[in-house]
Amino acid sequence: MVGGIVKIPVLEVFGPTFQGEGRAIGQKTMFVRTAGCDYRCSWCDSAFTWDGSEKPDMLTADEVIARLDALGMYDYVTISGGNPLLIAAMEDLVVKLKKRGVTLAVETQGSRYQDWLTQIDDVTLSPKPPSSGMKTNWEQLDAIVERLRPEQTTFKVAVFDEADLAYAKEVQQRYSPDVMYLSAGNPEPGADGDITDAQLRRLKQLWEDVARDPSWQSVRVLPQLHTLLYANERGV
């Protein structure tokens, strides 16, 4: 809060582009990326949101909406981070966008909760597997899942190795989502140049691993589509 006005730490407002993974893959969307995260994942593709390398703009909800409006027409906005669930001030933005009839999506690891989350149309819970170096607080994640409606909740895990795949199975068994979404992770988020071949090899391996295991049912194995089209570019 600055001078009595609630502010949101914003690093990027960009689009129109498309959601690159999960249930909404291929969905045309604008993105609002906030600063700050309570995790430090080893393969994070947006470490600039928490490593201090970039300073966010402190914006009111109206200022964020003005930036969105300047990009063109839109009916779908994805709020990402970092972890946007660290920011209580986000509620003002959520309320104002919902009043305009905008469909809202949020991406989070499921480590924090805010009451405004219940107003989000598509909440993607993406708990981080062992390769991230982070440890899941299952009790906290349980409490968040209990507060959300099943129809608004998507479970997605980025898979980098066998331990991650076993972790994803644990998530599926614990929460029994209608569909469990897996994505072939990108272990080199700082690499320059085309990474398409490497990402497709990882996707092929993940497809084959899941196909061979008859216990995997109600599962969709998807690419991180943005990495196939734009590699590690930002703002796309």
Side-chain angles (χ1 to χ4, degrees), residues 203-214:
L203 178 62
K204 181 174 182 286
Q205 184 64 56
L206 184 55
W207 271 18
E208 292 174 349
D209 290 344
V210 172
R212 281 194 298 267
D213 184 348

Side-chain angles (χ1 to χ4, degrees), residues 8-34:
I8 302 167
V10 176
L11 283 165
E12 297 181 304
V13 179
F14 63 93
T17 184
F18 294 85
Q19 175 57 255
E21 55 187 319
R23 186 189 298 270
I25 192 168
Q27 169 68 51
K28 187 176 182 181
T29 184
M30 299 292 194
F31 271 88
V32 175
R33 187 182 298 280
T34 60

Side-chain angles (χ1 to χ4, degrees), residues 115-217:
D115 287 338
W116 56 261
L117 198 59
T118 60
Q119 301 178 62
I120 302 298
D121 301 281
D122 186 359
V123 178
T124 295
L125 296 176
S126 185
K128 304 310 178 188
S131 64
S132 70
M134 300 294 102
K135 186 174 181 179
T136 301
N137 182 330
W138 293 107
E139 291 73 22
Q140 178 69 11
L141 185 54
D142 289 348
I144 292 170
V145 172
E146 288 174 3
R147 295 185 181 191
L148 297 175
R149 303 182 306 279
E151 64 271 17
Q152 75 174 141
T153 308
T154 296
F155 287 89
K156 176 177 66 68
V157 173
V159 176
F160 293 79
D161 55 32
E162 291 182 3
D164 289 355
L165 189 57
Y167 171 91
K169 175 59 67 67
E170 185 177 359
V171 172
Q172 186 186 50
Q173 292 173 341
R174 189 179 188 98
Y175 300 111
S176 301
D178 58 342
V179 178
M180 184 72 197
Y181 290 82
L182 307 180
S183 62
N186 172 19
E188 299 180 286
D192 294 325
D194 190 351
I195 61 173
T196 302
D197 287 346
Q199 285 297 93
L200 287 175
R201 286 195 298 272
R202 294 185 187 97
L203 178 62
K204 181 174 182 286
Q205 184 64 56
L206 184 55
W207 271 18
E208 292 174 349
D209 290 344
V210 172
R212 281 194 298 267
D213 184 348
S215 70
W216 271 112
Q217 302 294 324

Side-chain angles (χ1 to χ4, degrees), residues 69-113:
D69 290 348
L71 295 172
M73 296 180 63
Y74 58 94
D75 61 359
Y76 196 104
V77 172
T78 301
I79 301 170
S80 187
N83 185 5
L85 269 297
L86 297 175
I87 306 167
M90 190 67 71
E91 183 172 12
D92 192 29
L93 178 63
V94 169
V95 169
K96 288 179 175 179
L97 288 174
K98 291 303 297 179
K99 285 183 178 178
R100 292 174 54 155
V102 175
T103 299
L104 294 179
V106 163
E107 301 174 343
T108 178
Q109 62 264 43
S111 60
R112 299 294 182 91
Y113 180 82

